[in-house]
Amino acid sequence: MRVEGLRDRLAEEGVVRLDTARGPYVARLAGGRPVVHGALCPHRGGPLEDAYLVEGMLICSWHRSTFRAGDGRAVYGPACADLDVVPARFDGDDLVVEWPGEPSGA
């Protein structure tokens, strides 16, 4: 999936919701790199657009479940499941999300 012109928008807004055929996701910058993850916390469905990003960790604002931004692994809190994180990269100004099972660059 390619989202045109998202680099500048992420730089300005910090977090952008992506409504996809696979459900809602969130794109954000973490350490200058794009991270695309599920929009809802696996614990109780808290909106992860509001999550705090601290030292490479995403912290849900509802119950403080904490996930590694790079791979979504749950590291603290009540969440019993990892967060879905999808590989993403910039191609010029565009964000390219590399969904599992799709050809690279789709």
Side-chain angles (χ1 to χ4, degrees):
M1 176 177 100
R2 179 178 293 267
V3 183
E4 295 182 6
L6 199 62
R7 183 188 290 260
D8 290 339
R9 187 169 168 206
L10 276 175
E12 289 176 19
E13 298 176 25
V15 177
V16 174
R17 183 181 176 102
L18 302 174
D19 291 312
T20 75
R22 298 173 187 242
Y25 280 79
V26 171
R28 68 173 70 235
L29 293 177
R33 294 186 173 154
V35 173
V36 174
H37 59 80
L40 302 176
C41 180
H43 172 240
R44 295 279 180 173
L48 293 179
E49 291 169 79
D50 298 337
Y52 305 102
L53 180 64
V54 179
E55 297 180 7
M57 301 289 176
L58 290 167
I59 305 168
C60 179
S61 62
W62 278 15
H63 302 110
R64 306 296 182 252
S65 289
T66 303
F67 309 91
R68 292 192 312 215
D71 64 8
R73 177 156 308 218
V75 295
Y76 176 79
C80 295
D82 295 338
L83 179 63
D84 185 26
V85 173
V86 183
R89 62 182 170 78
F90 287 121
D91 181 16
D93 291 333
D94 299 346
L95 178 72
V96 177
V97 182
E98 298 178 352
W99 300 107
E102 275 188 9
S104 183

